[in-house]
Amino acid sequence: MTRACALAVSALLAWPAAAQQVALSGVAGGKALVTIDGAAPRFLTPGQAHQGVKLLSVQGEAAVIEVNGQRQTVRVGEAPVSLGRAKADNGAQRIVLTADAQGHFMPPGQINGRQVQFMVDTGATQVILSESDAKRINLKFEQGQKVRVATANGDVVGHQIRLDSVRIGEALVYDVSAIVLPQSMAFVLLGNSFLTRFQMQRTNDQLTLDKRY
């Protein structure tokens, strides 16, 4: 009996490290109907937390949630996602880039796990990509909010969205704001919605990014 009690206590103490299953059952009025570990669905408003799961934002039929710093986008009707209660391993904490012959930093990377070619642009407030790139990597940008953006060729209307993840090398950042523009672009502009997650320092032809959060 004593051994059984000890095992039960050990199981309870180990619970915070277990993964949680989180699904999005629906959205209504800016709220998300979230199901956690198969329990009854519960409406959460952005900024509200329940059982360690915090709702960050709702956009269309998708929501961004966070568990101890680990962020994930969940969508209505999709299978539950598994998130650990322990802090997620977001990969490397430092990126070192070397400029090309034109002085540009052109790292390859990934958006939502799909390969893209970036160009670092500290003048861009967000990650900027073309509709053709967005379609190629299967971004549902049409569901995003329409925004007017000033470009070198005049004002255009784009779609503001949230990217599940952006990866450069081993450094991984979740829930990154981006804008999809209709015109063709040779590269995806790696703007400040990603870069501000890092402390940047340039030395000659090298740019070092140290992860802040």
Side-chain angles (χ1 to χ4, degrees):
M1 188 69 175
T2 302
R3 178 177 172 79
C5 290
L7 289 173
V9 170
S10 296
L12 289 172
L13 291 176
W15 168 250
Q20 289 175 287
Q21 296 289 323
V22 184
L24 183 62
S25 301
V27 293
K31 297 181 179 180
L33 186 60
V34 178
T35 300
I36 303 172
D37 292 334
R42 178 188 179 101
F43 273 111
L44 298 178
T45 57
Q48 187 178 5
H50 179 61
Q51 293 184 1
V53 177
K54 183 177 182 180
L55 177 65
L56 298 180
S57 63
V58 177
Q59 181 175 312
E61 293 191 340
V64 179
I65 59 174
E66 181 180 78
V67 178
N68 281 348
Q70 182 181 1
R71 297 183 180 187
Q72 178 71 46
T73 298
V74 291
R75 294 180 172 84
V76 175
E78 291 189 350
V81 297
S82 180
L83 297 103
R85 294 178 192 249
K87 187 175 181 179
D89 179 7
N90 293 339
Q93 301 300 306
R94 170 171 288 189
I95 307 171
V96 179
L97 305 176
T98 301
D100 63 13
Q102 287 74 43
H104 300 304
F105 297 96
M106 308 287 296
Q110 297 178 0
I111 291 177
N112 296 359
R114 303 291 296 273
Q115 295 291 331
V116 297
Q117 178 61 57
F118 287 112
M119 181 175 76
V120 174
D121 186 353
T122 57
T125 58
Q126 301 183 49
V127 172
I128 308 291
L129 65 160
S130 66
E131 288 187 1
S132 60
D133 268 332
K135 290 175 181 177
R136 179 179 62 82
I137 62 177
N138 200 31
L139 294 180
K140 306 301 183 184
F141 63 90
E142 299 94 341
Q143 301 174 3
Q145 180 182 357
K146 289 186 177 181
V147 292
R148 186 170 295 277
V149 180
T151 72
N153 298 320
D155 288 356
V156 298
V157 175
H159 291 83
Q160 185 164 13
I161 60 174
R162 309 293 297 191
L163 306 175
D164 292 350
S165 64
V166 175
R167 178 189 289 274
I168 303 293
E170 295 301 317
L172 182 63
V173 174
Y174 294 102
D175 188 30
V176 179
S177 181
I179 294 178
V180 178
L181 297 181
Q183 65 259 44
S184 177
M185 296 170 56
F187 314 104
V188 176
L189 300 182
L190 193 63
N192 289 324
S193 57
F194 176 88
L195 297 174
T196 53
R197 307 281 185 96
F198 297 81
Q199 181 70 40
M200 296 186 292
Q201 181 176 349
R202 179 168 182 172
T203 305
N204 298 323
D205 65 344
Q206 284 197 333
L207 179 65
T208 301
L209 305 178
D210 286 305
K211 201 168 187 181
R212 299 169 53 209
Y213 63 95

